[in-house]
């Protein structure tokens, strides 16, 4: 009788992908689109899967979505025996990276702790606002009980937050075919706090506001803008005053403009929190800049940080026209020696496209620009070189 063999590790399902999908992974990308899935028979939504090319060669381990156009998000080139263990290890690594980045200086206690693919935790976003964590789950795999338990355990053990809030985007859950769910606390009970970025204080309410409450990706750009800014400053699309409050430290007068009244109400509270006087104007940026230009208004510093004009490749041309118009009007209104801080958070507008738009705007208004800084998103929003989708924010600082 042959000796009894130990039972093999419980096998994980195999998803076969096309040649094109395989090439993409071999080039270092981490996604496989549904159109490149050759077979995924019987694979459950959100499952941990083994990915094989068309000849059956295993390329690694991934998380599967039965609904998204992105069917496969790679986790590792190796087999993964213990998914909760791997999730916890990656969270610990992401936290350690931020600790190295931000050091012990107490002037920033708000940053992105986990940025999905860029932290090798596809489908998970976690932001820290002082004592609160805000978590967003974007995929079937991260929504499983196993994953949720591991995430909450590791985050609370390492960061000791007062509360962990889950922010739910109903549209994302719908696209992933996940059951509806309300935003709320996963741990603790608190949902608002005051946080600090570069020594500037902000109110945070985890269950209101746009995005995750603040634009953490601009943190380093706020500090850079404040190094060049002076005189009379205008912050266009100011939201809750991110740039305006930083500029107020160095400028004689600051005006913030936004079309959202609720955003400006928080901006006003933020100004009071920092004992700053800032003028807030509720207006459409395009109309206001046109009126200002017509009446000959001039500024020393202008910030442009509009919403993503290009939501998809299809409206790239319209988006570029929008950026051109705003930049052109701003450049017209800058005094000689003035500073323009101009941003684009549209992934579909490349860095080169954006430089070209600003240069063309300068040409149209017959002004010479000096590129002082060509910046991207803050380092707590890492960029994976082989995953272009992780790079989206552009911020140019130019002198007229
Ligand atoms: N600069 C901000 C983030 C800007 S987000 C910060 O650093 O915190 C984009 C902002 O543009 C939003 O607050 C939105 O309300 C505003 N917005 C969108 N369309 C606008 C328009 N046409 N005119 C003025 N503001 C607009």
């Amino acid at each position: 009788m042959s000796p009894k063999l130990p039972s093999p590790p419980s096998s994980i399902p195999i998803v076969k992908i096309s040649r094109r999908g395989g090439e993409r992974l071999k080039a270092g990308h981490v996604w496989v689109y549904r159109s490149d899935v050759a077979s995924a028979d019987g694979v459950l939504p959100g499952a941990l899967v083994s990915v094989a090319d068309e000849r059956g060669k295993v390329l690694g381990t991934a998380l599967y979505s039965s609904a998204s156009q992105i069917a496969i998000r790679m986790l590792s080139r190796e087999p993964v025996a213990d998914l909760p263990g791997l999730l916890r290890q990656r969270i610990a690594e992401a936290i350690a990276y931020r600790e190295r980045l931000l050091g012990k200086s107490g002037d920033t206690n708000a940053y992105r702790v986990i940025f999905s693919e860029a932290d090798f935790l596809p489908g998970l976003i976690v932001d820290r606002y002082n004592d609160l964590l805000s978590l967003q789950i974007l995929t079937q795999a991260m929504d499983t009980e196993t994953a949720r338990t591991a995430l909450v355990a590791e985050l609370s053990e390492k960061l000791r937050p007062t509360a962990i809030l889950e922010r739910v985007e109903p549209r994302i859950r719908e696209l992933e075919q996940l059951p509806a769910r309300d935003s709320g606390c996963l741990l603790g009970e608190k949902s608002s706090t005051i946080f600090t970025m570069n020594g500037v204080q902000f109110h945070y309410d985890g269950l209101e506001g746009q995005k995750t409450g603040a634009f953490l990706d601009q943190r380093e750009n706020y500090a850079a803008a404040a190094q060049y800014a002076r005189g009379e400053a205008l912050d266009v699309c100011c939201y809750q005053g991110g740039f305006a409050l930083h500029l107020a430290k160095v400028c004689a007068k600051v005006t913030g403009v936004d079309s959202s009244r609720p955003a400006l109400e928080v901006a006003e509270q933020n100004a009071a929190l920092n004992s700053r006087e800032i003028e807030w104007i509720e207006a459409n940026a395009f109309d206001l800049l046109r009126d200002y230009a017509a009446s000959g208004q001039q500024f020393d510093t202008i910030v442009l940080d509009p919403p993503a004009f290009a939501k998809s490749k299809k409206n790239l041309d319209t988006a570029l026209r929008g950026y051109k118009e705003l930049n052109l009007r701003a450049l017209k209104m800058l005094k000689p020696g003035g500073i323009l801080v101009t941003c684009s958070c549209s992934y579909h507008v490349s860095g080169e496209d954006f430089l070209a738009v600003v240069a063309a705007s300068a040409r149209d208004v017959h002004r010479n620009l000096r590129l002082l800084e060509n910046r991207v998103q803050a380092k707590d929003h890492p960029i994976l070189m082989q995953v272009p989708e992780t790079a989206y924010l552009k911020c140019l600082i130019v002198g007229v």
Side-chain angles (χ1 to χ4, degrees):
M1 231 178 89
S2 58
K4 201 162 181 272
L5 292 169
S7 52
S10 61
S11 66
I12 64 170
I14 293 180
V15 174
K16 266 203 171 183
I17 62 174
S18 69
R19 189 191 174 84
R20 191 176 58 176
E23 299 289 317
R24 205 175 156 78
L25 294 186
K26 284 171 201 157
H29 208 290
V30 290
W31 292 348
V32 178
Y33 291 104
R34 185 148 314 277
S35 52
D36 286 321
V37 170
S39 74
D41 300 334
V43 179
L44 296 174
L48 183 71
V49 296
S50 192
V51 179
D53 69 10
E54 82 281 9
R55 284 174 306 179
K57 182 174 179 257
V58 174
L59 303 175
T61 313
L63 299 172
Y64 179 73
S65 168
S66 62
S68 169
Q69 277 315 303
I70 305 168
I72 282 178
R73 296 175 195 247
M74 294 306 289
L75 263 188
S76 174
R77 289 173 201 265
E78 311 293 326
V80 172
D82 170 17
L83 179 61
L86 182 72
L87 296 178
R88 292 188 67 148
Q89 180 198 333
R90 297 230 167 130
I91 291 171
E93 284 164 6
I95 291 171
Y97 167 67
R98 272 69 177 179
E99 281 171 357
R100 285 198 301 279
L101 201 66
L102 291 156
K104 292 260 175 285
S105 87
D107 69 353
T108 291
N109 61 20
Y111 50 87
R112 179 147 292 184
V113 182
I114 293 168
F115 187 30
S116 200
E117 275 75 7
D119 283 298
F120 314 104
L121 288 160
L124 178 66
I125 290 181
V126 179
D127 291 327
R128 176 180 167 197
Y129 293 95
N130 188 9
D131 57 331
L132 301 184
L133 295 181
S134 160
L135 174 148
Q136 258 189 299
I137 283 180
L138 310 174
T139 56
Q140 292 172 351
M142 285 293 172
D143 197 56
T144 60
E145 254 337 285
T146 318
R148 282 176 171 272
T149 307
L151 307 178
V152 171
E154 189 66 22
L155 288 167
S156 57
E157 200 178 299
K158 285 277 162 15
L159 294 172
R160 302 252 162 238
T162 314
I164 301 182
L165 314 173
E166 178 179 9
R167 273 183 64 96
V168 174
E169 295 250 7
R171 172 138 179 82
I172 290 177
R173 289 191 74 83
E174 230 169 83
L175 288 173
E176 280 285 294
Q177 291 171 8
L178 290 167
R181 203 183 154 98
D182 288 332
S183 291
C185 288
L186 299 177
L187 180 93
E189 287 190 343
K190 192 177 164 192
S191 67
S192 63
T193 193
I194 287 172
F195 66 89
T196 309
M197 267 172 130
N198 310 313
V200 179
Q201 291 194 300
F202 294 86
H203 287 282
Y204 172 70
D205 192 326
L207 302 175
E208 280 172 31
Q210 304 170 17
K211 213 181 163 191
T212 43
F215 291 86
L216 302 177
D217 51 3
Q218 291 282 27
R219 179 175 45 83
E220 294 169 0
N221 297 331
Y222 293 152
Q227 287 186 331
Y228 296 92
R230 58 197 154 67
E232 278 191 45
L234 180 67
D235 178 4
V236 179
C237 296
C238 64
Y239 185 55
Q240 298 173 357
F243 278 103
L245 287 156
H246 282 80
L247 300 185
K249 291 203 269 190
V250 291
C251 292
K253 179 169 189 284
V254 180
T255 305
V257 181
D258 203 282
S259 57
S260 158
R261 169 150 290 273
L264 292 177
E265 281 166 5
V266 181
E268 175 59 30
Q269 292 166 17
N270 285 339
L273 191 61
N274 293 277
S275 311
R276 300 283 180 200
E277 290 261 349
I278 296 175
E279 180 188 16
W280 307 106
I281 301 179
E282 181 184 346
N284 178 313
F286 290 93
D287 297 344
L288 187 91
L289 291 187
R290 195 180 312 121
D291 294 350
Y292 274 10
S295 65
Q297 282 256 25
Q298 298 254 288
F299 292 91
D300 299 287
T301 305
I302 299 180
V303 175
L304 299 175
D305 186 18
F309 287 151
K311 296 264 193 247
S312 75
K313 246 191 240 165
K314 269 180 285 174
N315 51 25
L316 182 60
D317 284 344
T318 325
L320 292 176
R321 276 199 297 278
Y323 288 118
K324 173 101 186 264
E325 164 146 10
L326 281 184
N327 281 279
L328 197 129
R329 294 195 188 286
L331 285 171
K332 250 190 203 166
M333 286 193 295
L334 278 171
K335 293 180 196 164
I339 296 291
L340 175 68
V341 179
T342 181
C343 312
S344 162
C345 55
S346 301
Y347 158 68
H348 297 286
V349 173
S350 70
E352 294 81 56
D353 290 341
F354 194 54
L355 278 167
V357 165
V358 177
S361 309
R363 198 181 51 224
D364 286 9
V365 295
H366 310 292
R367 305 200 78 165
N368 291 325
L369 293 191
R370 199 152 64 138
L371 180 60
L372 301 172
E373 298 214 19
N374 184 354
R375 308 181 56 85
V376 294
Q377 65 229 40
K379 294 187 215 42
D380 48 342
H381 294 60
I383 295 173
L384 288 188
M385 290 191 72
Q386 289 141 316
V387 185
E389 290 83 354
T390 55
Y392 62 97
L393 184 61
K394 277 93 28 204
C395 173
L396 306 177
I397 304 182
V398 298
V400 178

